[in-house]
């Protein structure tokens, strides 16, 4: 089990100032307590030496350990190239995901592994790095299967000219779905090289071993040849379709061991490049005239004053009216000089009446695979609890606003640098907008400054392309914070209605669940409930512009935050009705899920949770409340316990401590997984305590962080994460599981403390005060 | 009016309009893109630079306000190619995910240590209260800066 128990992190002992290349050479200790650290920042040195070669057009963006972006043809002229595709939902075919719960098209993942004559391995994958750490964990998997050290593996990501097609980076699928196939491809590469080595050395394959990319005879290690030497001068291609023999879990030497993040050196020195940092020669910022409200239409516009601003240009392209200037702050000023009149939005919705609207207008219910017969179950109920749960719209609010730059070369080739989760989607959208074949458009994804689902739509890239064409110069579009709030595809407002009943024996007899506008993610059932029905009315992606007054879309664990909050709150309410401790009540319904029971037991032990044997009624723990919640997300089983304090006078909730236990199968990079877990808990505080988009008549009233409050440092609890070793299972998703528990953990803890059930997210001070009465 | 200042240890004179915003002068005129744009109104901290050693939000700072002052950006925090202890500590603790808030966090951390080279974990956390990290790296950011406070040169004025 890997644990990060306190704030201590890496030992400070003996720190001295190091240069970046010293740091590179020495292989430094990283924080994960039980993890063995052994890989070096070898690529930092490469990064430093590449520095002088960086230019806006062809630079490395400070990607540690990536190859230079030479073109694909020259890279693959020699060496061994293995291509592979991941059949739809490889990671889900094992039945751990209910396909009925998937609200997304079938992903089709593809990638290349290249083994070069220079002994370097290059992965070419269309995934992008937005902080989740795949730039490090994907090379780990390839290195493991090829028996080569990780610093010999380069990775090229999110470049449509270099990487094969990829649906996008979302849904915790990079490791879950791409991982097994990447490993198989690397294993296939090794098998091919073993064959070639056997011929070359005159040693049978089973007499060969590989040590860090060198094949040698087990009997006579002087008989040896490197991968690169084997492939040298020739071009060999293989396509993987069948499963190859992969390293067995027990033999792992790289997977499961915390690897230094490759993006680290660039990110602490300011060298990491994001789309807004790419400045082609002659590039101008574009600030686009925006409607004040969704649904408002332009009545009249006068741009003469803006045009007169020194250095500014006004460009119209399609429906876009933009002010261009070399300096962003001056473009801002010039945009303010545009005088526009608007017809008001017809929308009558606001953040108060939206729930009624959703209940009235959501699509007809779809019933998931029911269990038993709800009416029969209800007849057997001695007690029934029915509750309506409401959750508002939540913004993604990545610190990097949507940004893109487009440059059109003299030969017509379009290059777009975009902060996006969907480089290939952007490629086809830009091609369509410019009426070009997709091959004429190259999308390059530098580092992405946070996405959380919000950068799966990247209209800023299309805007920059259209304006670059109209203006005849490279155009940078960096959305202002108010544009980010206005155009975000929010996590939708959601209504959940639950009715459930208990038998006299304190067992749940039926569960009747209706969810509006969130879909079914998170509802994979693991409790023993004989009669169960789930009706979903619309998903998190349904009805943008009709059901909702603005765009909605995937937000970290889409739909699951609402569903698991409602389900786990209601389980808690049933436990209270039964007069049982909420942990014991859950255990008494987990006979059918040993895996979940193990996860819960771990959380209980690590927390030191004591059931309230004698304090069966809420409100009897002295000053703190404890709340538990369980969930399954992206194949990962997760349990959490939170401890909260409450200021009854102000309604302010303080979360003091959160313990998370999760079984995510094989853990590829423990420290990366722990960072994701901590991120989930911290980000989750926002949608639980403060984050809710306010709007009225099509206008998004939150325009900046002054009114829309993200979690602050003082809110962050002590976070303890435990990753339960489960090497029987391939790696499952790790970017989202812990966040889905936050609503219920905190709400249940408040109930534990006060006996009051909070039924609307977020639990703002005002709402808590009102609920306490 | 041209504005003269010391930028990352070197004297510079900038003739680009003295009411320009420092953040965009750094980024657009000088190509120093390590300081980030997050909100433009001084609310997030992504654009933080040091002015005479003190954390300042460059997005709301006019160029004329730094006339004659010492401005340090993330690009100038290392001494030669020796990383500052705060940068070291961010590497050790992995005080980032997407990295977009990171230069602002590091510069704020340096400012906290400049004012109080022996800052405790609590003092560090309090000093970061007005910085946002959407990825949720807060725990490690605090750890990193508090750990850097143990280095003898932690508060070396930049
Ligand atoms: S960009 Fe300056 S504080 Fe946010
Ligand atoms: S690391 Fe992404 S915002 Fe802080």
């Amino acid at each position: 089990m890997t644990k990060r128990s306190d704030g201590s992190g890496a030992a400070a002992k003996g720190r001295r100032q190091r240069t970046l290349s010293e740091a590179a050479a020495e292989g430094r200790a990283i924080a994960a307590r039980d993890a063995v650290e052994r890989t070096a920042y070898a690529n930092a040195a490469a990064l430093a030496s590449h520095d002088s070669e960086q230019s806006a057009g062809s630079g490395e963006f400070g990607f540690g350990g990536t190859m230079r972006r030479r073109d694909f043809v020259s890279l693959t002229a020699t060496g061994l190239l293995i291509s592979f595709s991941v059949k739809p939902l490889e990671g889900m075919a094992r039945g751990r995901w209910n396909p009925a719960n998937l609200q997304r098209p079938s992903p089709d993942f593809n990638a290349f592994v290249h083994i070069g004559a220079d002994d370097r391995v290059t992965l070419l994958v269309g995934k992008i790095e937005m902080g989740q750490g795949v730039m490090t964990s994907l090379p780990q998997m390839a290195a493991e299967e090829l028996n080569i050290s990780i610093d010999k593996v380069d990775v090229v990501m999110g470049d449509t000219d270099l990487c094969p097609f990829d649906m996008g980076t979302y849904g915790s699928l990079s490791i879950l779905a791409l991982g097994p196939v990447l490993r198989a491809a690397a294993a296939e590469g090794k098998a091919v090289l073993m064959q070639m080595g056997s011929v070359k050395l005159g040693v049978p394959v089973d007499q060969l071993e590989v040590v860090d990319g060198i094949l040698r005879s087990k009997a006579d290690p002087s008989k040896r040849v490197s991968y690169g030497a084997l492939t040298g001068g020739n071009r060999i291609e293989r396509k993987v379709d069948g499963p190859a023999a992969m390293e067995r879990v027990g033999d792992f030497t790289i997977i499961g061991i915390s690897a230094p993040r490759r993006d680290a050196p660039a990110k602490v020195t300011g060298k990491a490049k994001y789309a807004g940092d790419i400045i082609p020669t002659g590039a101008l910022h574009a600030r686009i005239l925006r409607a004040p409200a969704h649904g408002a239409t332009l009545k009249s516009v006068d741009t003469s004053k803006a045009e007169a601003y020194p250095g500014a240009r006004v460009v119209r392209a399609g429906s876009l009216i933009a002010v261009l200037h070399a300096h962003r702050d001056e473009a801002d000023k010039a945009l303010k000089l545009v005088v526009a009149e608007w017809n008001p939005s017809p929308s009558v919705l606001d953040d108060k009446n939206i729930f009624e609207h959703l209940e009235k207008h959501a699509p007809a219910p779809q019933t998931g695979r029911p269990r038993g017969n709800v009416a029969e179950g209800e007849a057997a109920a001695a007690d029934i609890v029915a509750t309506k749960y409401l959750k508002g719209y939540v913004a993604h609010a990545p610190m990097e606003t949507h940004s893109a730059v487009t440059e059109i070369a003299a030969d017509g080739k379009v290059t777009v640098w975009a902060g996006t989760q969907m480089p290939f989607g952007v490629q086809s959208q830009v091609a369509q907008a410019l009426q070009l074949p997709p091959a004429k458009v190259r999308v390059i994804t530098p580092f992405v400054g946070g996405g959380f689902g919000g950068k799966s739509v990247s209209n800023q890239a299309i805007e920059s392309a259209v304006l670059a064409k109209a203006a005849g110069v490279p155009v940078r579009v960096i959305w202002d914070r108010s544009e980010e709030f206005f155009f975000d595809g929010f996590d939708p407002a959601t209504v959940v209605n639950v009715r459930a009943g208990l038998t006299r024996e304190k067992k749940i007899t039926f569960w009747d669940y209706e969810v509006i506008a969130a879909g079914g993610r998170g509802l994979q059932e693991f409790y023993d409930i004989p009669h169960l029905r789930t009706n979903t009315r619309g998903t998190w992606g349904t009805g943008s512009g009709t059901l909702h007054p603005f765009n909605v879309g995937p937000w970290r664990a889409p739909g699951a935050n609402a569903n698991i909050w409602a389900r786990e709150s209601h389980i808690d309410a049933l436990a209270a009705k039964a007069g049982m401790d909420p942990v014991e009540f859950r255990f008494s319904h987990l006979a059918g899920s040993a895996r979940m029971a193990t996860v819960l037991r771990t959380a209980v032990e690590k927390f030191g949770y004591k059931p309230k044997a004698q304090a069966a009624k809420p409100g009897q723990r002295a000053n703190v409340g404890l709340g538990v919640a369980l969930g399954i997300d992206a194949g990962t089983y997760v349990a959490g316990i939170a401890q909260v304090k409450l200021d009854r006078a102000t309604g302010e909730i303080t979360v003091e401590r959160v313990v998370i236990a999760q079984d995510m199968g094989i853990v590829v990079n423990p420290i990366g997984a722990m960072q994701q877990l901590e991120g989930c808990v911290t980000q989750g505080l926002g949608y639980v305590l403060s984050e809710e988009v306010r709007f009225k008549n099509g206008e998004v009233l939150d325009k900046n962080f002054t009114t829309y409050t993200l979690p602050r440092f003082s809110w962050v609890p002590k976070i303890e994460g435990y990753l339960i070793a489960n090497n029987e299972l391939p790696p499952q998703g790790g970017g989202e599981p812990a966040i889905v528990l936050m609503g219920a953990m905190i709400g249940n803890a408040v109930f534990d403390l006060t006996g009051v059930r909070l039924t609307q997210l977020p639990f703002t001070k005002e709402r808590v005060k009102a609920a306490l009465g | 009016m041209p504005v003269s200042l010391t930028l990352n240890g070197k004297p510079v004179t900038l003739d680009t309009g003295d009411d320009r915003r420092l953040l965009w002068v750094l980024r657009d005129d000088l190509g120093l893109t390590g300081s980030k744009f997050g909100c433009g109104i001084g609310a997030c901290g992504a654009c933080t630079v040091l002015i005479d050693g003190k954390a300042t939000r460059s997005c709301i700072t006019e160029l004329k306000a730094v006339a004659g002052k010492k401005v340090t950006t993330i690009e100038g925090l290392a001494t030669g190619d020796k990383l500052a202890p705060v940068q070291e500590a961010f590497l050790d603790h992995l005080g980032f995910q997407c990295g977009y808030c990171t230069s602002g966090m590091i510069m704020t951390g340096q400012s906290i240590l400049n004012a109080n080279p022996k800052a405790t974990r609590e003092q560090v956390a309090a000093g970061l209260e007005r910085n946002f990290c959407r990825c949720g790296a807060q725990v490690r950011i605090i750890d990193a800066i508090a750990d850097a406070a143990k280095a003898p040169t932690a508060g070396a004025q930049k």
Side-chain angles (χ1 to χ4, degrees), chain B residues 23 36-47 57 59:
Chain B
L23 173 65
K36 303 300 187 205
F37 167 78
C39 69
I41 58 163
C44 76
C47 64
R57 306 210 154 179
C59 70

Side-chain angles (χ1 to χ4, degrees), chain A residues 676-748:
Chain A
Q676 286 297 308
L677 183 155
E678 291 160 4
C680 279
V681 170
T682 307
Q683 189 176 56
L685 293 169
Y687 82 80
V688 179
L689 299 179
S690 63
E691 288 183 44
E692 171 178 42
V693 177
R694 292 167 318 117
F695 61 96
K696 195 177 173 61
N697 307 129
E699 184 183 357
V700 176
L701 301 172
D702 289 304
K703 300 181 196 302
N704 213 316
F705 297 130
T706 34
T707 59
Y708 189 93
T709 308
L710 302 183
R712 293 191 179 277
F713 274 80
S714 60
W715 301 9
V716 179
K718 185 162 185 268
I719 303 168
E720 299 163 51
Y722 298 88
L723 310 178
I724 297 165
N726 182 355
N727 287 341
E728 302 307 306
L729 194 68
Q732 308 290 303
E736 299 164 309
I739 198 169
V740 302
L741 303 184
M742 291 302 290
M745 275 194 290
I746 295 172
N748 292 345

Side-chain angles (χ1 to χ4, degrees), chain A residues 426-498:
Chain A
V426 170
Q427 182 192 33
S428 56
Q429 286 173 304
V430 167
Q432 201 176 10
L434 300 184
Q435 295 174 319
L436 289 172
K440 295 284 271 180
V441 177
R442 178 184 190 180
V443 176
I444 299 175
T445 318
F447 282 114
V448 178
F452 321 110
K455 288 178 184 161
S456 44
V457 178
S458 306
N459 290 333
Q460 90 284 8
I462 305 164
E463 291 170 349
S464 78
V466 166
L467 290 169
K469 186 175 174 198
V473 293
V475 168
R476 311 166 67 189
V477 172
I478 300 172
W479 281 359
D480 208 34
R481 184 53 63 183
S482 61
E483 291 172 291
E484 190 70 23
F485 276 110
F486 190 77
F487 290 114
D488 193 14
F490 299 124
D491 187 36
T494 301
V495 181
V496 180
N497 293 304
V498 201

Side-chain angles (χ1 to χ4, degrees), chain A residues 399, chain B residues 96-99 101 133-135:
Chain A
M399 295 314 294
Chain B
F96 59 86
Q97 290 182 23
C98 79
C101 70
C133 170
R134 185 49 154 174
C135 297

Side-chain angles (χ1 to χ4, degrees), chain B residues 127-144:
Chain B
L128 292 166
E129 187 67 358
R130 289 176 60 246
N131 287 53
F132 288 127
C133 170
R134 185 49 154 174
C135 297
Q138 278 86 341
V139 177
R140 288 170 189 270
I141 293 167
I142 299 173
D143 289 349

